[in-house]
Amino acid sequence: MAKINRKKLAILILVCLVILLVPCSLTIDKVRVAANLSERGALGFNNLMADVLWVETIQYMGEAKKITDEIATTIYQKIERITDLDPHFIMAYRLAGLTLSNKRPELSIRILSKGLENNPGASWEIPFYAGVISYFRLEDYRGAVRYLEAATTHPECPDFIKRFLARATTEVGSYKDALLLWEGIYEETESPTERGIAARHLIRLCSQIMEISTDRNLVAKAKAILRKISE
Amino acid sequence: MNIWTIGVNSFKRLMRSKILYVMAVFCLITIAYASLYGTLTAGQEGKLMKDVGLAGIAAFSILVAILVGSTVVAKEIESKTIQILLAKPVKKHEFLLGEFLAAALTILMMTAIMGVGFLIIVAIKGIATAALVNGVVLVFFEAILLASIAIFFSTFFSGMVASVFTFIIFVFGHLTYQLPFLVQRAGNVVVKFFGNLLYFALPNLQYFNIRGPVAHNLNVPGSMIFAVIVYGLLYSSIMILASALVFKSKDFA
Amino acid sequence: MTSLAIKTENLTKVYRGGRGTKALDNLNLEVPVNQIYGFLGPNAAGKTTTIKLLLNLIAPTSGRAWVLGKEVSETDVRKDLGFLPENPYFYEDLSAEEFLDFFGKIFHIPRRDRVNKVEQLLTLVGLTEERKQILRRFSRGMLQRIGIAQALINDPKLIFLDEPITGLDPMGRKEIRNIISKVRAEGKTIFFCSHVLHDVELMCDHIGILCEGRLITTGKLDELLATKEVEISAEGLRGEALAKLEGRVKKLRKEENRIIFDVEEEALADEVVGLIKHYGGKRLSIVPKKESLEDFFLKAIGREEYKPDERREK
Ligand SMILES: Nc1ncnc2c1ncn2[C@@H]1O[C@H](COP(=O)(O)OP(=O)(O)O)[C@@H](O)[C@H]1O
Ligand SMILES: [Mg+2]
């Protein structure tokens, strides 16, 4: 008799535990949604897979001498996959945004705004890059202002952006601004790849300025920057 | 008391099996790889190291859990050593809990060694965060949960079959998060019911994966970590209790 | 019931899954204490099944069983039991010492006593030299011996030995027999399963014969094998005398120059001895005849020849 009761008790406890599992599960679901912890398959190894693809992409970009339309599209697709797997991979958005800005600015904006959506307030670089590209490449000034404003809400946003934003709302882009911005990126970034991209932009920009500009100050500045980069 | 004795004995024997050494070596390779991996890329070595390290810890902990969970009980049944033990004043649930304890200790040891090694390397790089510990802790509880499932399966099946089934549960456990979405779209009431049933019956292993956010230094609420641990322990208890019920009426011939 | 070490009532086991053969069929067994009880039967008779039922390792299909006066399902009763399984396989990663120590812990023997007990058992089974050796390296005979040591760790009152001697070489058999005799001398009850008749004949007080799940006979070995027959040997008898005597005895045979008479009953013996004298013969000896266990066993299971592995056709 006592034995049967023990078994029944065990089954009862089992049922209770199973029932408890449901509210526990629902609570976690709720907290996860609130904390914006998104699900990304890959059996829990999504980040690792993103990293593998990332290294691949970096290599691909390194090997590509010149970013053609085709290469830009491939990079875009790779970055899409990477950021699907790891939506918080800020650097992937940043790098893609800069790399694609010349050939495919619209893809660049697309990937940057995906980054902004997935990581609101996480980085000032993403909206800043989007702003710069909108401003200079797409000449979408309203969009640029919107992105730059988003960038300035970030506590670590450097002052030059705020200054640029102040003028961007009134003026249309110039070499001077472009120089200022790329120099800003060049100085601010901690990523060698990004720095390289910024350096290339600066070199092109500076040589353009030296060729066509009549503003002495600007030419002098361009020369100074070129010297700094070549060091 | 008996539980502890049996658990420590099995743990001791597990520690003497070569497979764990092999695992430890693989793990060291992974961590070394992680630190190598990081040096390659543009300003992201921190994230990459954390990702690869955490993924390595997760993979090996889960592997150890499936392997050990599906052998601790099954091996004693298959080699009939369980008969000697149960011929002594040992209750079947004591045996089961002892073996679960052995599996848990093994997993704890493996995860802890890997975790500490990882944290040291990360600390040397100067990118250690407290959240990484949380990530490793949840890996441990996921491994415990899988071990309890493996033990449950090994009360019916051979160790080999139990490990395969546990692996299948591992795969589906990481996919259950898609169920609510699928259930929503299903028109049929029966499909909806079974979808929901499946959602709560399968372990939601994605809960234990906070490795992404942790590697990115994103905030993971402590309350959620706590709730996930409770969930893991609850699920493991259910598995062990169910195993005990199966064991109660099992013949050890 | 306390004077009985084992008692079963209609104990029956049908294994699930198999062809539904009755491994054990209404076994009613009574084993007295302080005995070596030899449980005999060909392979697949159900001996191991009986032991497993008595140790509660498997559940009976029907019937009940008691050991040491308690129902077998009570965990506590196993405090006083020892068990050496058939073809023992042990934790092969443990050393002999660790192995025994582990079971000592299972019985909650305090540390110091445990150390002594392990020492004492290793001495008993002659494995003191191999104490640190890992069981994987043990030979079959050594495993059998450590298995017996393991079964004795708790000073059990009743010990189940399932085929402890089978499959060992003559030296090994002798060693195990010696160990069992020593254990027996300590006043323990031993339930000894075997299909090797010789071992049982040498050691057991009581036997039971099991065949195809049914208990055929049980009783004291001496009594079972005892017959009323008497064997008389004589010499110096002539042909005609032999012809005369042949009619009175059961069997008559010549051995060198002696004649051996098998006489059916003791009462007839006097008459035969008288006749031998009468015909001028000389009576050399007169002994009560004992049946060999093998003959008895074969008679019991109704077969001509003993092949342990054969299973009778239905
Ligand atoms: N686990 C089992 N499942 C199915 N049948 C079994 C099992 N164990 C034993 N049997 C069958 O039960 C019968 C008795 O076996 P057993 O008790 O091992 O005999 P013995 O020990 O006398 O050789 C045999 O026919 C055997 O095939
Ligand atoms: Mg047998």
Side-chain angles (χ1 to χ4, degrees), chain A residues 126-164:
Chain A
I126 292 179
F128 170 57
Y129 295 171
V132 171
I133 293 160
S134 301
Y135 194 89
F136 290 104
R137 301 285 309 148
L138 300 174
E139 292 171 9
D140 169 12
Y141 304 118
R142 211 176 290 160
V145 168
R146 213 180 52 240
Y147 285 125
L148 291 172
E149 273 169 352
T152 51
T153 57
H154 194 279
E156 281 166 35
C157 178
D159 284 341
F160 76 90
I161 297 177
K162 287 173 191 154
R163 286 199 298 274
F164 175 64

Side-chain angles (χ1 to χ4, degrees), chain C residues 6-14 22-30 49-50 53-54 59-66 71 210 213-215:
Chain C
I6 298 171
K7 180 178 161 65
T8 70
E9 241 177 50
N10 297 324
L11 197 60
T12 302
K13 178 70 185 178
V14 180
K22 272 190 185 170
L24 204 62
D25 189 0
N26 286 298
L27 179 74
N28 290 296
L29 193 67
E30 295 195 346
T49 301
T50 308
L53 285 166
L54 292 173
T61 309
S62 63
R64 298 171 74 186
W66 297 264
E71 216 64 68
L210 193 69
R214 279 190 298 273
L215 186 68

Side-chain angles (χ1 to χ4, degrees), chain A residues 70-139:
Chain A
E70 203 186 339
I71 291 176
T73 315
T74 312
I75 291 174
Y76 170 74
Q77 283 162 352
K78 281 176 186 286
I79 297 291
E80 270 287 357
R81 269 164 69 205
I82 291 170
T83 52
D84 278 345
L85 285 164
D86 182 358
H88 303 301
F89 202 158
I90 306 284
M91 189 50 85
Y93 299 111
R94 279 169 57 178
L95 196 68
L98 286 186
T99 313
L100 303 176
S101 63
N102 240 342
K103 275 284 171 212
R104 305 292 302 271
E106 79 287 359
L107 291 183
S108 174
I109 290 293
R110 200 186 294 171
I111 204 87
L112 287 168
S113 44
K114 180 180 175 188
L116 197 57
E117 211 170 284
N118 284 334
N119 306 278
S123 131
W124 58 264
E125 290 94 339
I126 292 179
F128 170 57
Y129 295 171
V132 171
I133 293 160
S134 301
Y135 194 89
F136 290 104
R137 301 285 309 148
L138 300 174
E139 292 171 9

Side-chain angles (χ1 to χ4, degrees), chain A residues 56-71:
Chain A
E56 228 176 83
T57 309
I58 295 284
Q59 206 175 355
Y60 179 78
M61 279 159 63
E63 280 164 8
K65 299 254 152 42
K66 212 166 159 252
I67 309 278
T68 62
D69 261 11
E70 203 186 339
I71 291 176

Side-chain angles (χ1 to χ4, degrees), chain B residues 9 17 59 71 81 84 94 122 141 183-184 247 253:
Chain B
N9 177 51
S17 62
T71 44
T81 45
I84 303 167
E94 288 176 333
V122 171
F141 282 99
V183 165
Q184 236 174 30
F247 242 49

Side-chain angles (χ1 to χ4, degrees), chain A residues 25 29 41 44 47 51 86 193, chain B residues 42 47 51 177 199 207 211 216:
Chain A
S25 196
D29 284 345
N47 271 39
D51 293 347
D86 182 358
T193 318
Chain B
K47 170 199 163 11
D51 278 346
Y177 70 92
Y199 182 62
Y207 289 169
R211 299 189 284 279
H216 287 298

Side-chain angles (χ1 to χ4, degrees), chain B residues 70-139:
Chain B
S70 61
T71 44
V72 271
V73 171
K75 199 177 171 207
E76 297 233 17
I77 294 176
E78 281 157 30
S79 69
K80 303 194 171 179
T81 45
I82 189 176
Q83 294 182 7
I84 303 167
L85 211 46
L86 293 183
K88 310 222 179 300
V90 171
K91 298 210 168 80
K92 286 175 179 173
H93 71 263
E94 288 176 333
F95 168 80
L96 209 57
L97 284 171
E99 298 298 349
F100 178 57
L101 177 69
L105 284 175
T106 311
I107 295 166
L108 178 65
M109 209 201 62
M110 291 294 284
T111 312
I113 289 177
M114 293 190 283
V116 169
F118 169 64
L119 286 174
I120 289 173
I121 291 182
V122 171
I124 291 170
K125 278 260 174 186
I127 47 170
T129 60
L132 288 176
V133 179
N134 290 340
V136 176
V137 166
L138 288 197
V139 165

Side-chain angles (χ1 to χ4, degrees), chain C residues 192-221:
Chain C
F192 180 113
C193 265
S194 183
H195 65 255
V196 181
L197 305 178
H198 180 65
D199 298 326
V200 173
E201 201 166 8
L202 280 173
M203 283 186 293
C204 298
D205 312 301
H206 270 66
I207 62 161
I209 293 179
L210 193 69
C211 189
E212 288 168 18
R214 279 190 298 273
L215 186 68
I216 294 171
T217 344
T218 180
K220 276 198 174 146
L221 186 62

